[in-house]
Amino acid sequence: MTKRKPLSTVVAESLSEKIRSGSLLPGAQLPTEAELCAEYDVSRTVVREAVARLRSEGMVVPQQGRGMFVSETPAPRNFSIPDEALRTLPETIALLELRLSVEVESAGLCAERRTDAEASGIRTLMEQVDAQQADPAVVQIHYDYDFHLAIAKAARNEFIHGFLSYLRPMIVPRFQLGYVVTPALKDSYYARIHNEHKTIVDAIERQDGRAARQAMRKHLHNSLGRVRALARASGVAATEAEQQAAAASLFTDMKRPAPTGG
């Protein structure tokens, strides 16, 4: 006699198949507990166990106050991620947190200070970058960094632009986009990123600093979420010691200006 699978396993496998087949796309919200209970004719306990299993596998992620959403990062078993790339995940997350803190203000200042020519140039660059839509296996995850640098330059703060330029070789070459986006879903991914970029540019053109800051925060927060999901799915966690060591290594070449004689 064949042993029957637990109901929670049946539900989890069904939802997993929907995610893998594309019936539930990355970023899509899962049905509510009540809807899943009705669909599978099971109790809330069964649904919660099934969703917990998907979460542990990195297939869904929670958003506070909103519910569970399909992860934009595929389970790592579907990809061959080099060990050296996995080892850089903790410092990559730390660098993205740093970018978030700097670039939100950069976008706001750009909106408030840019010239008409700079706003036009930023839109043109965005269209060029977003039109490429290369195979995720051969493009870097931060392929839009030139777009971000253009915004920083128009912020009229050379420290911001210089700092982000300094970070570029540390951030951009770390991961191929294919680690977080399957070829079958690349079109929807690129469309979503373009919409995020466009929201930023629209605010810059309106000279709306507040809206530009909000749009940039959302854009970078989504990028950070994808890398964090990859880390969770890969079983990689950053310790305080690892981040301190990474920071010491990354910024070892940054020197204070030599004091001038008085």
Side-chain angles (χ1 to χ4, degrees), residues 79-118:
F79 292 84
S80 177
I81 303 177
D83 288 342
E84 59 270 21
L86 288 176
R87 284 195 295 271
T88 67
L89 273 171
E91 61 195 54
T92 300
I93 290 170
L95 284 168
L96 278 169
E97 291 172 345
L98 176 59
R99 279 187 64 188
L100 183 63
S101 66
V102 174
E103 290 199 54
V104 169
E105 186 62 18
S106 173
L109 292 176
C110 174
E112 294 159 2
R113 299 174 177 177
R114 93 305 186 273
T115 65
D116 289 345
E118 286 169 332

Side-chain angles (χ1 to χ4, degrees), residues 9-83:
T9 300
V10 173
V11 174
E13 290 179 348
S14 175
L15 291 172
S16 296
E17 179 55 31
K18 288 182 179 182
I19 292 171
R20 292 193 176 97
S21 68
S23 296
L24 284 171
L25 293 173
Q29 186 172 10
L30 286 189
T32 65
E33 283 187 359
E35 290 169 338
L36 290 173
C37 288
E39 179 180 352
Y40 292 102
D41 192 23
V42 295
S43 68
R44 286 181 180 269
T45 299
V46 169
V47 167
R48 288 169 184 167
E49 290 176 355
V51 172
R53 174 173 170 176
L54 296 181
R55 183 177 177 183
S56 70
E57 293 176 356
M59 300 189 75
V60 299
V61 292
Q63 291 189 15
Q64 188 172 4
R66 298 185 61 198
M68 300 297 298
F69 289 76
V70 178
S71 173
E72 295 187 2
T73 305
R77 62 174 175 272
N78 295 332
F79 292 84
S80 177
I81 303 177
D83 288 342

Side-chain angles (χ1 to χ4, degrees), residues 14 61 83 97 108 119 122 137 183 186 195 197 235 238 240:
S14 175
V61 292
D83 288 342
E97 291 172 345
I122 289 170
K186 77 177 183 71
N195 286 335
H197 286 167
E240 184 177 354

Side-chain angles (χ1 to χ4, degrees), residues 245-262:
S249 173
L250 288 170
F251 295 102
T252 187
D253 293 331
M254 291 187 76
K255 306 291 186 184
R256 290 178 180 271
T260 57

Side-chain angles (χ1 to χ4, degrees), residues 186-250:
K186 77 177 183 71
D187 290 341
S188 62
Y189 174 84
Y190 282 126
R192 185 163 56 254
I193 297 302
H194 176 65
N195 286 335
E196 292 177 6
H197 286 167
K198 185 176 181 299
T199 302
I200 297 168
V201 174
D202 287 347
I204 289 172
E205 289 179 337
R206 296 195 311 271
Q207 295 186 293
D208 188 337
R210 180 178 179 182
R213 289 177 177 90
Q214 291 174 338
M216 182 63 80
R217 180 180 298 279
K218 179 179 179 181
H219 175 52
L220 290 178
H221 182 78
N222 288 344
S223 178
L224 179 58
R226 284 185 284 272
V227 179
R228 281 175 172 163
L230 177 62
R232 286 194 300 267
S234 305
V236 175
T239 66
E240 184 177 354
E242 286 173 333
Q243 288 205 4
Q244 288 177 346
S249 173
L250 288 170

